[in-house]
Amino acid sequence: MPEMTVIEAVREALREEMERDTTVFTMGEDIGARGGVFLATEGFIDQFGAGRVIDTPLAEASIGGIALGAAVNGMRPVAEIEFGDFIWPAVNQIIGEAARVRYGTQGRRTAPMVLRVPYGGGVRGGLFHSQSIEVAFAHQPGLKVIAPATPYDAKGLLKSAIRDDDPVIFFEHKRTYRLVKGDVPDGDYTIPIGQADVKRTGSDMTIVSYGLVLHYCLEAAATLAEEGIDVEVVDLRTLRPLDTGTVLESVRKTSKAMVVHEDTKAGGIGGEIAAVIAEEAFEDLDAPVKRLAGPEVPAMPFSPLLEAEFMPSAEKIATAIRELAAY
Amino acid sequence: MLSEQTSPDNFEKNSRLAGPAGNGAGPPPLNDADLLEMYRTMVLSRTLDQRIWQMNRQGRAAIVASAQGHEAAQVGAIRALDPERDRFYIYYRELTTMLALGITPLELLLGFLAKDGEPLSGARQFPLHGAIDRSRRDIVSFSNVVATQMPQAVGVSLADKMRGEKRVTVAYFGDGASSMGETHEAMNFASIHRLPIIFFCENNKYAISVPLAQQMNIESVATRAAGYGIPGIEVNGFDPVAVYEAVGAAANHALAGDGPTLVEAVVERFLPHTSDDDDTLYRSPEDLEGIRDLDPIPATEKILRASGVLDDAMDEEIKSGAQTTVNQATEDAENAPFPEPHDFYEQVYAPGSPGDQS
């Protein structure tokens, strides 16, 4: 099985889907000759031509709206929002419109579109190239929201997203693009949307995470194993619909739970996970559910020490695990 | 005999180019029977519109955005298009457009009364919102949020072009929506890709209460076409034939592969923005009285009578026929049940797909 990076997995998934289905096309800023700022569409313009690899003006609202219109009219657009931080002008079209197309027409029109959205920090991106914005979309019924952490999941989930008949927001953590490598099988496979994955089994506590910091959780878990604390790590992979079943099953087994994400704490996914555990598994718990998340500042600063202050790390997670284990 | 309104110089008299010229080919001339048919639709629309407004005042219809004053523009535009072939991205003031496309008064009244069987959204949405079954007509009106339909219609048109389908998409909007950034983005993209689309602006000179002078510091919306390198036509929206000719030329331009056209039909809004608005707060009595002087429905009637196509008996048949149709539709709509919430959780997601709760 070949090893590849997350960005290579994204590229292969999109390429294979465009080869498989002529209704799939891609559009976005700098995705043509430039191949995308992260090179997700490197070489696509030569392989598929400018008709299916559309360089758009710098105009996110219409990237969202045009993709939506094309989807309603029988195509399967995969639009790239260059950086998640730039998505806000398109929110009118995504949350306001795309999420409601099926419901508001009783299924007479549907929007099988994907927005690929590089997000997250730890890349010296500062306030406007580091944002974690996934929860704004995960709140919205009608959307499906995916945030893979590994190359294997990225490829299988992107294929599922493209074949899905509803609007999917596909969040790709920028720091994982070239940092995270993993085995990816040759050829076609998909991973179901809405299924979490136990990335490490353990018996003492459950950590629920996704995206880049999932890897920091695994690193911390490996450290804590040497200290005799056996941590189970659940990768949500999909943020809407949430796979609460896998989370609850794990928590019922371990009796302790912590949620870790890079996004800020208040109103984050962690709050929803904690609430579900409290509602459904309260009597299985030996400790309050813990959350480790980004600090309550509006954005991630640029300078390295300031950025590090914001980012969750394996060390911060290990400290939190020790605290929870000691409860 | 054709009226003076359909004479060859009519188009020049009632419209002007406000951007680069299109490819110039106009639609075939209309005959008397065409104009009579358009008159029938306008009369039906006005009769139905008045009924809905009345029902709102009686507390029976929750919300109405009246099309009174827009009828000639809407019926003229549809006459130039192909209801089977083309795609209609309308907005909320399109009662005449719906009738001209074959949606029945009963179906529309079911929407205004939020009753079961409403054909656009099953009464999940405001009246005139949702989508008609595609197998019947491609009419879409997703949203109350102005101008969101503009880039969506461009995407629809892009898909047609990618597949090589010869169809015209029409994006309807008002002067209010012309201020939105999405309108600019939509026209820019459509021009770059020479998409077969018509941007059809019904300029009634008010964005709720804000008059044109506070919406734009230019004479007309259509002049913006020059900024996109597309033809722009400003047309008298009280003249259904002039609108027909402008939209027909735009449709030919689109089907020839020459790209979009911006058509601006200048109309009047006879009633407040919606039934929840009070236009006496921002328009003078003289203003509100004066705008009805040029009402296109009596004007068209006069032309048809002058050319001998319409006489008293036929006019009576048309008007009482419309009244009878609307009365029957009202009774049927009032007798229809409200939808039960049995499908409340359906069509949030695709049936059987992750997240589906139905």
Side-chain angles (χ1 to χ4, degrees):
Chain A
M1 231 176 349
E3 187 184 73
M4 59 174 75
T5 61
V6 170
I7 192 70
E8 287 165 345
V10 166
R11 188 185 303 132
E12 283 316 294
L14 183 54
R15 185 198 308 282
E16 288 172 19
E17 290 304 292
M18 287 181 68
E19 286 168 346
R20 185 185 62 81
D21 180 353
T22 56
T23 68
V24 180
F25 72 98
T26 184
M27 56 185 287
E29 295 162 1
D30 304 301
I31 66 159
R34 175 70 179 78
V37 291
F38 297 103
L39 301 178
T41 54
E42 185 178 36
F44 278 39
I45 190 100
D46 296 328
Q47 183 177 353
F48 300 106
R52 291 178 71 198
V53 183
I54 301 173
D55 264 328
T56 66
L58 303 187
E60 284 81 10
S62 55
I63 292 173
I66 291 166
L68 171 53
V72 166
N73 191 11
M75 304 299 283
R76 290 187 177 269
V78 181
E80 178 177 301
I81 298 291
E82 197 159 64
F83 285 84
D85 314 63
F86 307 165
I87 204 171
W88 305 115
V91 165
N92 194 27
Q93 291 289 343
I94 303 164
I95 294 178
E97 304 278 312
R100 288 163 231 273
V101 163
R102 180 184 284 278
Y103 195 76
T105 65
Q106 276 189 317
R108 291 181 184 85
R109 299 294 186 284
T110 59
M113 61 187 282
V114 178
L115 280 192
R116 291 185 39 249
V117 187
Y119 79 112
V123 294
R124 299 294 313 283
L127 272 63
F128 298 102
H129 293 77
S130 300
Q131 293 168 24
S132 288
I133 56 171
E134 59 276 18
V135 73
F137 300 89
H139 179 69
Q140 180 58 50
L143 298 179
K144 291 170 179 169
V145 178
I146 299 174
T150 68
Y152 176 77
D153 289 345
K155 185 173 178 186
L157 280 163
L158 183 53
K159 282 175 168 258
S160 291
I162 293 169
R163 297 176 195 185
D164 197 272
D165 288 332
D166 293 312
V168 179
I169 317 301
F170 193 85
F171 285 104
E172 301 162 8
H173 198 291
K174 299 190 291 286
R175 179 96 172 114
T176 67
Y177 269 154
R178 288 174 176 78
L179 183 74
V180 178
K181 296 188 174 77
D183 290 340
V184 175
D186 280 322
D188 192 43
Y189 69 97
T190 59
I191 293 172
I193 294 170
Q195 288 188 11
D197 184 42
V198 178
K199 285 284 194 288
R200 178 192 171 97
T201 54
S203 55
D204 292 336
M205 73 173 66
T206 299
I207 297 185
V208 180
S209 188
Y210 61 92
L212 172 69
V213 298
L214 181 276
H215 298 285
Y216 299 162
C217 292
L218 291 169
E219 206 180 313
T223 304
L224 271 292
E226 293 166 15
E227 300 175 21
I229 301 171
D230 189 17
V231 177
E232 179 147 305
V233 179
V234 176
D235 180 2
L236 287 173
R237 299 198 294 193
T238 297
L239 305 182
R240 176 176 278 273
L242 272 175
D243 179 3
T244 53
T246 298
V247 171
L248 290 168
E249 192 185 332
S250 176
V251 172
R252 287 186 178 121
K253 183 178 77 175
T254 64
S255 301
K256 287 182 177 176
M258 176 162 74
V259 193
V260 182
H261 53 63
E262 178 182 324
D263 189 14
T264 51
K265 191 176 189 175
I269 291 289
E272 180 63 22
I273 297 290
V276 167
I277 294 170
E279 282 175 340
E280 304 288 334
F282 181 77
E283 289 173 359
D284 297 294
L285 289 174
D286 289 340
V289 179
K290 200 173 175 62
R291 287 180 291 165
L292 177 65
E296 293 295 317
V297 297
M300 193 177 300
F302 174 60
S303 197
L305 298 181
L306 303 180
E307 184 184 69
E309 178 68 18
F310 189 106
M311 286 296 287
S313 65
E315 294 72 30
K316 290 177 189 174
I317 296 164
T319 302
I321 291 173
R322 289 186 194 101
E323 286 168 11
L324 185 57
Y327 183 88
Chain B
M1 291 298 293
L2 283 176
S3 68
E4 60 169 347
Q5 236 182 337
T6 54
S7 67
D9 65 350
N10 173 67
F11 183 69
E12 280 164 32
K13 219 167 55 190
N14 281 286
S15 59
R16 68 187 177 93
L17 285 174
N23 66 16
L30 291 175
N31 59 33
D32 287 335
D34 294 320
L35 192 60
L36 188 65
E37 186 58 35
M38 290 156 81
Y39 175 65
R40 274 183 195 278
T41 304
M42 288 196 283
V43 169
L44 179 60
S45 180
R46 180 68 59 88
T47 308
L48 178 60
D49 201 299
Q50 286 168 339
R51 169 59 50 82
I52 298 164
W53 196 264
Q54 186 184 40
M55 292 176 85
N56 170 267
R57 292 319 192 222
Q58 294 166 338
R60 293 191 284 173
I63 177 83
V64 188
S66 166
Q68 291 184 43
H70 288 238
E71 294 97 337
Q74 294 180 15
V75 80
I78 294 300
R79 178 61 52 160
L81 298 160
D82 183 339
E84 305 276 337
R85 176 198 65 195
D86 297 334
R87 308 190 188 278
F88 304 89
Y89 264 65
I90 66 170
Y91 74 112
Y92 46 75
R93 209 179 294 287
E94 299 292 338
L95 191 73
T96 322
T97 299
M98 293 295 263
L99 290 169
L101 287 170
I103 312 305
T104 68
L106 174 58
E107 289 176 307
L108 296 165
L109 274 165
L110 289 171
F112 282 97
L113 300 185
K115 292 297 184 74
D116 201 21
E118 189 279 327
L120 289 134
S121 74
R124 284 176 172 178
Q125 291 224 53
F126 267 11
L128 299 178
H129 285 76
I132 294 290
D133 275 333
R134 226 164 121 103
S135 55
R136 181 177 169 197
R137 289 278 184 272
D138 198 353
I139 306 174
V140 174
S141 173
F142 287 139
S143 181
N144 280 140
V145 182
V146 296
T148 52
Q149 76 275 20
M150 304 298 280
Q152 291 166 21
V154 168
V156 165
S157 182
L158 175 68
D160 281 339
K161 185 169 182 181
M162 290 174 99
R163 289 191 297 256
E165 291 183 23
K166 289 257 179 201
R167 299 176 195 272
V168 179
T169 297
V170 189
Y172 288 79
F173 65 115
D175 48 297
S178 78
S179 298
M180 293 288 290
E182 276 150 301
T183 299
H184 158 68
E185 292 186 22
M187 292 185 188
N188 186 45
F189 187 95
S191 176
I192 292 166
H193 293 272
R194 294 165 78 91
L195 298 180
I197 186 167
I198 299 170
F199 298 105
F200 186 69
C201 179
E202 293 170 53
N203 177 0
N204 64 24
K205 305 167 189 169
Y206 280 88
I208 303 188
S209 69
V210 179
L212 219 51
Q214 282 165 274
Q215 297 187 58
M216 60 193 74
N217 188 26
I218 50 175
E219 268 184 48
S220 84
V221 174
T223 57
R224 292 189 182 155
Y228 304 109
I230 63 174
I233 306 169
E234 182 192 329
V235 61
N236 174 7
F238 275 0
D239 180 346
V241 179
V243 174
Y244 163 79
E245 288 170 350
V247 173
N252 287 338
H253 189 75
L255 291 168
D258 293 328
T261 301
L262 170 55
V263 178
E264 174 187 15
V266 181
V267 298
E268 297 285 354
R269 198 188 74 201
F270 287 173
L271 290 172
H273 165 66
T274 68
S275 48
D276 289 341
D277 182 29
D278 176 2
D279 56 359
T280 63
L281 295 173
Y282 53 85
R283 297 184 83 165
S284 70
E286 300 74 39
D287 177 28
L288 285 169
E289 232 165 83
I291 57 174
R292 289 178 180 267
D293 290 348
L294 297 169
D295 188 334
I297 295 178
T300 306
E301 178 189 333
K302 206 171 145 191
I303 289 160
L304 287 166
R305 282 177 182 272
S307 59
V309 184
L310 188 71
D311 58 16
D312 286 347
M314 188 184 280
D315 197 46
E316 171 58 22
E317 181 266 309
I318 289 172
K319 284 174 180 161
S320 66
Q323 201 64 58
T324 306
T325 302
V326 168
N327 287 345
Q328 185 62 54
T330 304
E331 196 184 322
D332 293 348
E334 291 214 288
N335 288 334
F338 288 112
E340 298 284 342
H342 59 80
D343 70 346
F344 187 83
Y345 288 100
E346 287 177 19
Q347 301 294 352
V348 176
Y349 295 105
S353 93
D356 179 29
Q357 309 156 77
S358 63

